[in-house]
Amino acid sequence: MQQSRIRTLELIDMHSGGDVSRIVVGGVGDLPGQSVREQMRYIESHGDGLRRLLLSEPYGDPHMSVNLVTRPCSPKAAAGYIIMEAMGYPMYSGSNTICTATAVLESGLVPMKGDGEQPLVLESPAGLAHIKARIRNSRVDSITTQGEPAFVAERDCRVKLPHFGEIRYDLVWSGAFYALVDSEPLGFELQREEEVELAAFGDRFVKTVNQDFQLAHPDFDDNPTLSFLHFCGPTRAKGKEGFESPSATYVHPGVICRSPTGTGTSARLAQLDDRGEIAQGQWLETCSPRGSVFCGTVLGEARVGSNKGLHSHITGRARTLAHSRIVVDLDDPLIEEGDLGLVLSTEAA
């Protein structure tokens, strides 16, 4: 009897600050690996068709992200998750962690324990994400997440771009490498109407910098490429211990995030700490061109190889958009099967 060529995937679509995360909770087989990072490397090499399928027409859009809930390898973690975006496989993401944590709690994959604060540990490719979920009336009101420490890798870098001249930027790792540029000298106010121009600038900037980019995280085997650019607006005091700043994050290729992004906010905190402009216990609210806000708080210093790092946590909220089961017909000419059939489970057919 011929085996069915139909597969199904169970999805929970969430958004945090406007950025959509598709949480895959069923339909993918068990991935080999002794850590979630090894599982990520496996699916990157042997099952990247899943990422392309869910981020491309007719199933999805490159502005989305995908989070595959997997078997945790650390005994401390309740679940693992692999992050997939247009640029590839980031080691960590704040908005995706906020969405995934909310999804596993509200769906019952990890049981809620009543109203109040509930701790949760998830295993990302970068390591353990320590999470505090604020729960009220069986819903997650907010997620505060702490991932791996961020660090400033290079300061006062320079690149020349047509029409803009010489641009100064810092390189910061906060889950992936970010270039941080001040928006005011570029003439950007970081408003929604500028998103097309911001994306065009980001595309040119990232392509130019990547011609000579060679940085790598001292502890991770992630690829030495730059995929993220964070536009930093002016910082203003907000109360005695806080600051606020407009911001925008570009993800290569071609995406301006609707949220200010968790890793963008972490990168900004590391930069401000490196400059002596923010202290332990103080916080920063970053506001995206769409008006959504994340809050990052400085926790304390860390060491990342020979670099001074910074522990911080990011707080935001995710909301459910949809629960769905999608059908994947491997004989559909619009589907690029390739390695897709290797990771989709036949049990869900």
Side-chain angles (χ1 to χ4, degrees):
M1 182 177 178
Q2 187 175 6
Q3 188 178 46
S4 172
R5 298 274 290 165
I6 301 295
R7 304 289 186 269
T8 60
L9 290 167
E10 301 286 343
L11 304 178
I12 303 174
D13 284 2
M14 311 287 298
H15 88 86
S16 182
D19 284 330
V20 177
S21 292
R22 316 197 79 177
I23 318 299
V24 183
V25 295
V28 175
D30 185 57
L31 302 176
Q34 299 302 308
S35 68
V36 171
R37 191 183 315 158
E38 290 184 5
Q39 293 176 4
M40 179 194 74
R41 293 303 183 208
Y42 176 85
I43 200 167
E44 182 180 23
S45 299
H46 302 286
D48 187 58
L50 179 67
R51 180 186 68 89
R52 300 194 304 272
L53 177 83
L54 294 177
L55 294 179
S56 305
E57 295 180 349
Y59 287 94
D61 181 279
H63 286 80
M64 297 177 172
S65 299
V66 173
N67 290 272
L68 172 62
V69 177
T70 69
R71 164 182 53 87
C73 297
S74 168
K76 297 179 181 179
Y81 64 114
I82 297 170
I83 308 155
M84 308 177 191
E85 296 185 355
M87 48 71 67
Y89 296 79
M91 301 286 281
Y92 180 76
S93 163
S95 61
N96 283 290
T97 302
I98 291 168
C99 286
T100 303
T102 302
V104 299
L105 286 167
E106 291 191 345
S107 68
L109 287 174
V110 175
M112 288 188 187
K113 299 178 181 178
D115 286 0
E117 188 176 275
Q118 178 173 337
L120 173 67
V121 178
L122 298 178
E123 185 180 353
S124 78
L128 297 181
H130 296 272
I131 293 159
K132 294 178 182 178
R134 180 69 62 180
I135 298 170
R136 184 176 61 178
N137 297 327
S138 299
R139 295 185 65 188
V140 178
D141 262 3
S142 68
I143 292 289
T144 297
T145 176
Q146 178 184 348
E148 293 298 303
F151 66 94
V152 178
E154 289 190 0
R155 303 162 184 83
D156 199 28
C157 305
R158 309 192 182 200
V159 65
K160 288 186 177 180
L161 293 184
H163 310 298
F164 288 96
E166 185 177 75
I167 298 166
R168 297 185 179 187
Y169 64 98
D170 291 337
L171 288 168
V172 182
W173 190 94
S174 59
F177 279 105
Y178 270 80
L180 274 64
V181 300
D182 291 333
S183 62
E184 281 192 318
L186 302 175
F188 292 124
E189 297 181 359
L190 305 184
Q191 300 296 315
R192 183 170 182 169
E193 299 76 26
E194 298 173 317
E195 287 184 358
V196 172
E197 296 174 73
L198 290 168
F201 176 92
D203 180 76
R204 186 177 301 171
F205 179 95
V206 167
K207 286 179 178 177
T208 303
V209 172
N210 269 330
Q211 293 175 9
D212 300 309
F213 191 84
Q214 296 181 340
L215 290 178
H217 191 287
D219 300 325
F220 301 143
D221 58 348
D222 50 342
N223 294 326
T225 57
L226 178 69
S227 298
F228 295 88
L229 170 63
H230 192 72
F231 297 91
C232 306
T235 302
R236 299 179 289 268
K238 187 174 182 180
K240 293 183 179 180
E241 297 296 329
F243 302 90
E244 61 182 358
S245 175
S247 69
T249 294
Y250 168 80
V251 183
H252 194 70
V255 175
I256 294 294
C257 294
R258 292 171 173 84
S259 83
T261 69
T263 44
T265 303
S266 296
R268 187 76 183 280
L269 289 174
Q271 182 192 54
L272 292 173
D273 174 75
D274 187 66
R275 295 175 175 178
E277 297 175 4
I278 198 167
Q280 185 171 340
Q282 292 187 312
W283 48 269
L284 171 71
E285 287 186 348
T286 48
C287 182
S288 78
R290 298 293 180 102
S292 57
V293 174
F294 283 169
C295 183
T297 303
V298 176
L299 300 181
E301 291 189 6
R303 299 300 301 179
V304 184
S306 61
N307 303 283
K308 171 191 171 186
L310 185 74
H311 287 297
S312 63
H313 62 215
I314 304 299
T315 300
R317 182 174 185 176
R319 298 180 185 273
T320 304
L321 297 173
H323 290 255
S324 63
R325 172 182 291 178
I326 68 169
V327 176
V328 182
D329 182 350
L330 296 177
D331 291 324
D332 187 336
L334 292 181
I335 292 177
E336 178 190 349
E337 180 181 355
D339 54 15
L340 186 60
L342 300 178
V343 295
L344 297 186
S345 173
T346 57
E347 294 179 4

